[in-house]
Amino acid sequence: MLVLIAVGSVVYVLHKNPDGIKLPRIGAECTVRADGEVTLDSVQMANAATIAAVGIRKEMPEQAVVVALATALQESKLENLENGDRDSVGLFQQRPSQGWGSADEIQDPRYAANKFYNALKKVDGWEDMRVTDAAQEVQRSAYPNAYEKWADESRVLTRALLGKATGAVACTVSGTPVLRGAAAAAALLEGLKADWGRKLTTDSRSGGLTVAVTSTSVGWRYAHWLVSHASATGLERVRFGDMEWHAPDGKWQQVTEESGADGRHVVAEVFA
């Protein structure tokens, strides 16, 4: 069943099923399949990938990423909001007046995610709590049970973004690329290193870049991150192992050895 909701000049298409109303499909569509299925738009997907990357870089356990994503889904629908209740802003609707940082800082998704994880680490026993209870200990929301409804979606996203599923993030990107060539490759590299750290082993060139990986799961972390950020970076193609994703098709497909793909490097190509 489809439900159409008009907000200004934008029409949101909500997909309703017995489990309730799912996230709106806006713009370029991304489908995540990892023991379940979640559909996001390109902005939501990029923010989810950044939240997960920050958690991995901080060596937070998988459950922490689940809690963080559930919190952001509830607070902002994974959109980096400029305002909210009182002085709340950003993905987690953190408030400058409550010591989370300045409004500009909080609207940096990496900063906001880092602050959320730091706060979660201070909660005694959060690992054994329900998702909603752990989130509430950080957020102090007026709706303490609201986070639990996003727990299943967050587990699907986390499994994919932690590299525990193969070819699990598929985004279709159509239209004119926002960037091309060297500018696209530079933007891709800057985003990668901002999320994953400056020590990331990469080989960049005008047509794209490669990322060296130490295991299959690490390779899929980077591959899924790249696809998640494709819409804003001019990314055309990603290869890893015997799989390849292509922007206009939005699908992962098997490729031959001649493509240059292997299990030691993730290869990203931008639009020329």
Side-chain angles (χ1 to χ4, degrees):
M1 177 179 179
L2 298 181
V3 180
L4 302 181
I5 298 178
V7 180
S9 61
V10 180
V11 176
Y12 295 81
V13 182
L14 302 184
H15 292 251
K16 192 174 183 181
N17 60 32
D19 297 323
I21 293 178
K22 297 300 182 182
L23 290 173
R25 295 184 178 184
I26 312 167
E29 185 177 298
C30 299
T31 300
V32 182
R33 295 185 178 94
D35 292 339
E37 182 175 314
V38 176
T39 301
L40 304 176
D41 70 35
S42 59
V43 172
Q44 292 168 317
M45 192 69 243
N47 286 329
T50 289
I51 290 170
V54 173
I56 294 167
R57 182 150 58 97
K58 289 176 67 66
E59 299 183 345
M60 297 294 290
E62 180 175 343
Q63 183 66 4
V65 179
V66 172
V67 174
L69 288 171
T71 302
L73 280 163
Q74 171 59 27
E75 296 290 354
S76 68
K77 299 298 184 289
L78 283 170
E79 296 177 7
N80 195 16
L81 302 178
E82 295 181 0
N83 50 49
D85 180 45
R86 287 170 283 188
D87 59 337
S88 300
V89 295
L91 290 169
F92 297 92
Q93 288 292 277
Q94 294 155 332
R95 298 179 60 193
S97 64
Q98 300 301 307
W100 288 98
S102 69
D104 286 343
E105 287 175 327
I106 294 170
Q107 285 208 273
D108 177 348
R110 300 168 188 98
Y111 174 93
N114 186 64
K115 294 289 283 188
F116 179 87
Y117 288 121
N118 287 345
L120 183 64
K121 285 169 65 175
K122 296 177 182 178
V123 177
D124 290 337
W126 70 265
E127 300 94 334
D128 300 319
M129 294 178 182
R130 290 190 306 158
V131 168
T132 199
D133 295 333
Q136 174 64 5
E137 287 294 317
V138 175
Q139 298 296 107
R140 303 296 180 181
S141 170
Y143 304 96
N145 293 310
Y147 306 101
E148 194 66 25
K149 66 176 176 284
W150 301 110
D152 290 344
E153 285 87 346
S154 297
R155 291 186 183 100
V156 172
L157 292 171
T158 298
R159 180 172 171 77
L161 293 170
L162 266 62
K164 294 189 173 184
T166 298
V169 177
C171 299
T172 302
V173 184
S174 57
T176 303
V178 295
L179 295 168
R180 292 180 180 272
L188 202 59
L189 180 62
E190 181 62 26
L192 262 172
K193 294 207 168 185
D195 276 12
W196 293 100
R198 297 288 164 181
K199 294 182 180 180
L200 193 69
T201 302
T202 61
D203 178 18
S204 60
R205 57 191 188 283
S206 61
L209 54 84
T210 61
V211 185
V213 301
T214 56
S215 69
T216 299
S217 62
V218 171
W220 282 113
R221 289 176 188 177
Y222 295 140
H224 290 155
W225 184 96
L226 287 162
V227 173
S228 298
H229 287 267
S231 182
T233 58
L235 183 66
E236 181 181 16
R237 198 179 306 271
V238 177
R239 292 192 297 272
F240 180 61
D242 62 349
M243 302 288 287
E244 178 180 276
W245 168 89
H246 187 225
D249 302 328
K251 299 177 182 178
W252 285 95
Q253 298 181 359
Q254 285 195 317
V255 293
T256 63
E257 292 183 4
E258 287 75 16
S259 68
D262 61 39
R264 301 181 305 277
H265 299 86
V266 178
V267 179
E269 295 180 357
V270 297
F271 284 95

